[in-house]
Amino acid sequence: MPELPEVETVVRGLRPDLIGQTIRSTEFFWAKTYHQPSAPLEGLLGRTFHKLDRRGKYIVAHLDVGYLWIHLRMTGRLYFSQHLQGEDRWTRAALGLDSRYLIFSDARKFGRIGFCLDLDWLEEKLGPEPLTLDAKIFGRILHRPTAIKALLLDQARIAGVGNIYADESLFAAGVHPLEPANKIKPAKALVLLTHLQAILQRAIQHEGATIGWYRKPDGQKGSSQDHFQVYGKTNQPCPHCGAPIQRILVTQRSTHFCAKCQKKSSTAVS
DNA sequence: CGTGGGACCTGAACGC
DNA sequence: TGCGTTCAGGTCCCAC
């Protein structure tokens, strides 16, 4: 599931019900879900939720002592249940709260949960938040010959953008996904940043995109997928010019774009 | 230092 | 029906 808008939606959905709750028990049905290295699991017992935030694609809960973090990766879901085993067959962890469980369900088992006493490691790992990124810093990030799509996906450069919203933003801005970032002129970079932010904001308003596994904590689907222009639209007509949407691979990731609306300004990139 | 490939996993969709 | 293949919103690790 999980790009910035989906994670933000999950955080907003959980926040009112989680703040003030105390962790009474912890259960991990799939051991690897509890990320190592992490502080010992017992440290979570008796901890109270003070604040729930998002940083990039990480959910970060501020406890009275330390931090609980969760990364949904591809198929992670979070919801409340009266049952330790959750409501589906993919429950990997359960945190016992005051009167119910916070369930972590994750079909592909890629998701991770951890407990730490500081967030320095996270800040060292992640670039700035795209929604509050200013043009000057964005311009500095583009000062390298990397294909722009690869750069948008690099969490150490910008935190939170994933495959869908990278494709959608590049299309909206008319930038070819393989365009070397340092070939993008400042004016065009500003257009890209503006579209990226608008698209992420709109996706948050639509409560994320449900293509497969993603659900809001209340079990409902998001509707952001109804507004995609190019993602997953291979061979369908471009909404601007009617040319068929192309699908290529960029750093192993499926990439959708319109070859007519998104021209490369320079020669091919490897 | 950067990137390409494989690994980590399961399930859905599709071709035969 | 069933088998095989391909693909998936993410990230990590290792070889080059």
Side-chain angles (χ1 to χ4, degrees), chain A residues 11 14-23 44 46-53 60-68 97-98 115:
Chain A
V11 165
L14 294 176
R15 186 181 283 138
D17 292 317
L18 210 48
I19 303 305
Q21 293 285 303
T22 299
I23 299 173
L44 282 170
R47 298 282 68 76
T48 299
F49 287 91
H50 280 187
K51 219 176 131 189
L52 193 66
D53 279 337
V60 181
H62 298 233
L63 307 171
D64 56 335
V65 179
Y67 305 88
L68 173 73
L97 305 175
D98 296 327
F115 174 46

Side-chain angles (χ1 to χ4, degrees), chain A residues 2 4 48 76 78 85 145 150 156 158 168 174 198 207 248:
Chain A
L4 184 154
T48 299
L78 286 166
Q85 305 284 343
I158 300 172
E168 292 295 318
E207 302 182 288
I248 60 172

Side-chain angles (χ1 to χ4, degrees), chain A residues 170-198:
Chain A
L170 290 169
F171 173 74
V175 175
H176 193 291
L178 288 175
E179 180 79 5
N182 59 359
K183 292 274 169 48
I184 300 174
K185 297 190 174 68
K188 194 72 169 173
L190 182 58
V191 169
L192 175 57
L193 177 60
T194 305
H195 280 293
L196 173 63
Q197 294 178 331

